[in-house]
Amino acid sequence: IAHEDSAKLNSIAWSIVDPASDIGQRDLDLAMKAATAAAELTDWSDAAVLDTVARVHFWKGDLDKAVELQTKAIELTDNDRFKAQLQEALDEYKKAISGAG
């Protein structure tokens, strides 16, 4: 549907992995496909898209990749408010790693 529109692909993926969402069954494979396509369309340089890809990795249990991508997302944005939101997610991912180890 949105194979050439990174914003729509990101929106589809985020609607699946948004922690505030109350959907029952999360289709993480679909979210990964949409988020990865969005990232490729933006040359992996859009902080919002990377945030989504990181969240998908987090939900799938790949915590190290989530931290890597979230860190890159933080580096890519100059918006302080958005950067703070990204940092909260990064802290969550790091906490999960320390709790899992």
Side-chain angles (χ1 to χ4, degrees):
I1 295 170
H3 71 284
E4 293 295 327
D5 187 330
S6 63
K8 286 182 182 175
L9 287 164
N10 190 52
S11 179
I12 291 166
W14 186 252
S15 70
I16 296 169
V17 298
D18 182 351
S21 172
D22 62 356
I23 62 172
Q25 184 70 22
R26 296 179 192 272
D27 187 341
L28 298 177
D29 292 333
L30 175 60
M32 183 64 79
K33 187 174 183 178
T36 300
E40 289 172 356
L41 286 170
T42 60
D43 294 323
W44 296 86
S45 62
D46 182 306
V49 171
L50 291 181
D51 175 48
T52 302
V53 180
R55 180 60 67 172
V56 177
H57 280 284
F58 175 75
W59 279 109
K60 289 178 81 65
D62 188 351
L63 304 179
D64 291 332
K65 190 66 172 179
V67 167
E68 174 190 331
L69 291 169
Q70 197 70 17
T71 300
K72 184 174 180 184
I74 290 169
E75 293 169 358
L76 288 171
T77 188
D78 293 328
N79 180 310
D80 289 337
R81 183 170 177 238
F82 186 47
K83 189 174 281 195
Q85 293 171 346
L86 296 175
Q87 184 63 52
E88 285 181 27
L90 179 59
D91 294 344
E92 176 186 359
Y93 305 158
K94 287 181 175 180
K95 183 177 178 183
I97 287 174
S98 67

